[in-house]
Amino acid sequence: MKSAVETLNPTRVRLTVEVPFEELKDSLDAAYKKINQQVTVKGFRKGKIPARVIDQRFGRGAVLEEAVNDALPKLYTEAVNEAELNPLGQPEVDITELKDNELLSFTAEVDVRPTIEIPDFSGIEVEVDAVEVTDEDIEKSVQQLRDRFASTSPVERAAEDGDVVTIDLEAKVDGEVLEDGVAKDVSYTIGSGELLDGIDDAVKGLSAGEEATFTSELKGGSAAGREAEVTVKVTQVAARELPELDDEFAQLASEFDTLEELKADSRKRLENMKQYDQATQAQERVLDKLLELVEVPVPEKLLEDEINTRKHNLEHHQLAQMGLTLDRYLEIQGKTAEEFETETREAAIKGIKTQFVLDELVNKEKLNVNQEELTEHLMRRAASSGMSPDQFAQAVVEGGQVPMLVGEVARGKALALVVEAATVKDTNGEIVDLDDEEEESEEAETSTDAPAEATEEKPEA
C-alpha cells in the first residue's frame, strides 16, 4: 500500500491511497464467505457455492463492493497511522479507481487537529475580586438561617407581605379550565416570587374564604408561555414568627452554644465560598489570557457539529425540563435569535480552542492521570449530576465515556499548571496564592465549555 498526504488547510488533509489487489485477498475471501451465507443456488449446499458461480449468478461487482467496504476501514487506519495524523470525525471517502485484479485507489478527506505551538505563559497576569466578607454579609447569612426556623400560626385577618397563605388555584386559557391548571392547598409565602407573576397583589388584602382573579403568563405545564386567567382562593392566612437572635437560637439552629460562635462560623464559610469563587475566576481569566497567546485554527465541520450539539442540549434537555421553548427562553433573557446564534458560536469556538490548547499542553508536559485522580473527579461529577457514584460510574462505562473523563482531568491539570505559573492579584493589589484544594475547580471549568472528545471514525465506501 502506498499513501500520500496533501494539506488542504491547517485543519484538513486529503489522503491518497493506492492498494495492490493482492492486499485485498482477505477481504475478497470474506466477501465470498458472507455472500455464500446469504444466498442459495440450486445444486449447491448453502455456504459451499464456488466463487466462479457467485460471480456468474450475482456479478463480480457485488463481490468487489463487499470486499472494498470490508477493507476500507483497515486501509484508512493504516494510512492515518503511517502519516501520524490526528483525525477528527468522519472522513469523506471517494473511490477513484478500482481495477479488478490490479489496483484499488481512494482518497479520504478528514479534519485533523491543528499543529499548536504553546508559548511561554509564565508572564500571564490577571486580576480577580478580593475576598472580603462584610458584617452585612454575616447578618444576611444569619437572617437566612433564621428564616428557615420561622414558625407560623393562623391569624384572623387579611393577608399581608410575609404571611404564609394556603391557597387553591384554577387557571383558564380561552375560557377553558386547563387539565393541569388546578391546584389545591398550595402553601405560598407572599413576596417570595415563587409562583405566578401578579399573585402577590392578588392575595394581599384577602382573608380566609375570599378569592380574586388575575391574569398571568404560565411558567410551566401544557400551556407554558400563554396568558391565563387565574382564580386564587385563600383558605388560610398564617403569620410568620421569627425566633429571637440569641444564644438559644444558635443552639437550636447549629452545633454552637453562642450566637457569636455561629456568626464566626458563618464568616468562615463565606470566606471559603468566596475563595473558591476567586479561584474559579482566576482559572477563567488565566485561560482567556492563554487563548489570546495561541493561534488556534478551528475545523469548520467540528465547529458546526459543536454548535448543533449545544443547541440541541439546550432546547431538548435543559429547556424541555423547565417547560420552556427556545423562543420563550430568548424572550426571558432579552436576546434576539441573532444574538443567541453569535453567543453560541463564540462559546463553541472557545470550547474547541480550550480543548486543543490544553490537550497540547498535556502532551507537551507529559501529564498523566492516575486512578485516584480519576475516582475523585468521577465522585464530583456524580454529585453534580444527582446520581450515586456507582450509578454514574456504570453509566460512564456503558456509554464509553471513560476516555472523556480522563481527558477532563488531564486538561484540568494542564490549566492548573498555567495558573500556578501566572501572577494573580486581587483588586487590592495583593498577590493571590491559590492552593491545591481551590484549584480542583478547574476540572469543572474545562469540561463545562469544552466539546466532547473528538474520536477517530472509520470510513465506509
Side-chain angles (χ1 to χ4, degrees):
M1 183 184 78
K2 293 191 303 183
S3 63
V5 180
E6 177 187 359
T7 300
L8 304 177
N9 61 49
T11 63
R12 193 166 180 84
V13 299
R14 178 189 292 124
L15 277 167
T16 301
V17 183
E18 293 185 356
V19 186
F21 216 78
E22 54 266 23
E23 293 187 22
L24 297 177
K25 182 180 184 306
D26 289 345
S27 293
L28 279 167
D29 292 342
Y32 279 116
K33 184 175 181 180
K34 182 176 180 180
I35 294 173
N36 243 305
Q37 299 300 321
Q38 294 175 338
V39 301
T40 58
V41 176
K42 189 174 181 179
F44 297 94
R45 286 183 296 166
K46 196 174 186 66
K48 299 296 184 180
I49 307 170
R52 60 179 175 77
V53 175
I54 290 178
D55 289 345
Q56 292 169 356
R57 296 292 297 269
F58 305 102
R60 175 71 167 176
V63 179
L64 292 178
E65 181 180 355
E66 184 66 42
V68 169
N69 282 335
D70 176 74
L72 267 180
K74 293 175 285 187
L75 296 170
Y76 168 74
T77 300
E78 287 178 22
V80 164
N81 293 338
E82 184 178 296
E84 298 182 345
L85 300 176
N86 292 309
L88 300 168
Q90 183 80 14
E92 295 179 5
V93 177
D94 182 26
I95 306 297
T96 56
E97 189 173 13
L98 178 56
K99 290 184 178 180
D100 197 1
N101 291 317
E102 290 187 31
L103 183 73
L104 165 66
S105 298
F106 69 91
T107 61
E109 288 191 18
V110 67
D111 287 332
V112 293
R113 283 179 177 264
T115 300
I116 299 173
E117 293 294 330
I118 303 294
D120 178 14
F121 47 77
S122 60
I124 290 178
E125 293 188 12
V126 298
E127 184 180 74
V128 295
D129 295 335
V131 173
E132 296 176 345
V133 178
T134 65
D135 290 342
E136 183 179 347
D137 293 332
I138 305 300
E139 293 302 322
K140 183 178 179 181
S141 175
V142 173
Q143 184 60 45
Q144 289 173 343
L145 183 61
R146 187 186 182 200
D147 288 340
R148 286 169 51 192
F149 283 84
S151 59
T152 59
S153 57
V155 291
E156 298 295 329
R157 60 168 172 77
E160 301 173 355
D161 262 329
D163 284 345
V164 178
V165 290
T166 303
I167 54 178
D168 296 337
L169 294 166
E170 180 183 85
K172 293 181 180 179
V173 173
D174 297 332
E176 296 292 330
V177 178
L178 299 172
E179 288 186 11
D180 56 354
V182 177
K184 299 286 187 181
D185 296 327
V186 177
S187 180
Y188 176 66
T189 301
I190 300 176
S192 66
E194 294 175 351
L195 280 178
L196 299 168
D197 293 337
I199 194 169
D200 289 337
D201 291 336
V203 297
K204 276 190 293 186
L206 298 183
S207 299
E210 296 180 335
E211 64 181 47
T213 300
F214 64 101
T215 300
S216 183
E217 183 177 297
L218 299 178
K219 297 180 179 179
S222 60
R226 299 185 64 183
E227 289 287 328
E229 183 182 83
V230 183
T231 299
V232 54
K233 180 178 181 180
V234 176
T235 58
Q236 179 179 276
V237 178
R240 296 176 74 246
E241 298 176 0
L242 296 173
E244 292 293 327
L245 279 179
D246 52 23
D247 293 346
E248 185 176 341
F249 167 71
Q251 294 165 19
L252 170 68
S254 71
E255 70 272 29
F256 301 105
D257 293 326
T258 68
L259 184 60
E260 287 307 309
E261 290 175 330
L262 174 60
K263 289 183 176 181
D265 180 70
S266 295
R267 180 179 295 277
K268 182 178 179 181
R269 285 188 297 102
L270 289 173
E271 286 176 348
N272 289 339
M273 290 171 58
K274 292 197 174 188
Q275 284 172 351
Y276 181 88
D277 291 341
Q278 185 188 65
T280 300
Q281 190 180 64
Q283 290 147 16
E284 292 173 347
R285 294 183 178 180
V286 168
L287 175 61
D288 288 340
K289 289 284 188 180
L290 177 63
L291 295 180
E292 289 175 7
L293 296 176
V294 188
E295 186 68 29
V296 186
V298 176
E300 277 302 320
K301 181 63 168 61
L302 182 64
L303 176 58
E304 180 185 340
D305 291 343
E306 179 64 16
I307 291 173
N308 290 335
T309 297
R310 287 171 181 260
K311 288 180 179 178
H312 179 84
N313 288 341
L314 174 65
E315 190 167 2
H316 297 284
H317 296 291
Q318 300 171 39
L319 297 183
Q321 290 177 355
M322 295 186 288
L324 293 176
T325 63
L326 180 59
D327 289 342
R328 176 56 183 153
Y329 167 74
L330 294 179
E331 184 181 335
I332 293 172
Q333 294 292 314
K335 295 177 183 177
T336 65
E338 291 75 17
E339 289 172 334
F340 170 72
E341 290 288 339
T342 299
E343 289 180 5
T344 303
R345 181 179 180 84
E346 290 175 350
I349 290 173
K350 181 180 179 181
I352 292 171
K353 286 185 175 182
T354 296
Q355 179 171 319
F356 283 171
V357 170
L358 295 183
D359 282 349
E360 181 62 28
L361 194 53
V362 167
N363 293 332
K364 180 181 178 182
E365 299 295 332
K366 296 180 172 57
L367 301 177
N368 296 313
V369 176
N370 60 41
Q371 186 61 47
E372 182 180 357
E373 291 168 333
L374 182 60
T375 300
E376 289 177 356
H377 182 59
L378 186 147
M379 298 280 281
R380 285 192 292 271
R381 288 290 302 274
S384 64
S385 70
M387 300 170 67
S388 72
D390 287 344
Q391 289 174 326
F392 187 79
Q394 183 178 352
V396 166
V397 172
E398 291 177 352
Q401 300 296 302
V402 174
M404 183 191 73
L405 288 188
V406 172
E408 289 176 359
V409 178
R411 284 190 286 275
K413 295 178 72 171
L415 180 55
L417 196 70
V418 181
V419 173
E420 185 179 353
T423 300
V424 181
K425 293 183 179 180
D426 65 21
T427 48
N428 294 328
E430 300 291 330
I431 297 291
V432 176
D433 182 18
L434 301 171
D435 62 35
D436 292 340
E437 183 176 354
E438 290 163 349
E439 288 175 1
E440 285 179 354
S441 63
E442 85 279 349
E443 292 175 15
E445 295 302 317
T446 55
S447 65
T448 297
D449 209 29
E453 287 284 340
T455 57
E456 178 181 341
E457 298 191 35
K458 310 305 180 189
E460 292 183 359

